[in-house]
Amino acid sequence: MSVTQHKLEAGDRLIIASHNRAKIPEFQQLLQPLGVTLSCAADHGLCEPEETGATLEDNAILKARAAAIVSGIPA
């Protein structure tokens, strides 16, 4: 599966591929200068994929890909 890169611009939406809504304020603070709107996977009713990666990074990529594919929104 290939990864499409997307340059975020003001007004874009971005999904944080986590069901932990407590992470959203942290990401909002970091990404606030970009003017993007954030949500988490739980806000979209997305299923959390099984974390089968060998590393934390592998699992983050699995979750982000799944969220982006199902929602059509960068993750």
Side-chain angles (χ1 to χ4, degrees):
M1 178 185 320
S2 67
V3 175
T4 302
Q5 293 191 10
H6 178 87
K7 182 178 178 182
L8 293 174
E9 298 179 8
D12 281 353
R13 297 185 308 162
L14 178 68
I15 294 179
I16 303 303
S18 170
H19 281 71
N20 183 347
R21 287 187 174 101
K23 291 182 180 180
I24 296 299
E26 296 174 35
F27 281 101
Q28 283 177 327
Q29 185 176 14
L30 291 170
L31 300 173
Q32 190 263 340
L34 297 177
V36 297
T37 301
L38 299 179
S39 58
C40 68
D43 294 335
H44 298 272
L46 302 177
C47 295
E48 194 153 9
E50 184 178 347
E51 295 185 4
T52 58
T55 66
L56 181 64
E57 181 180 1
D58 290 342
N59 288 327
I61 291 168
L62 286 170
K63 291 165 68 171
R65 282 184 177 154
I69 289 168
V70 172
S71 70
I73 300 170

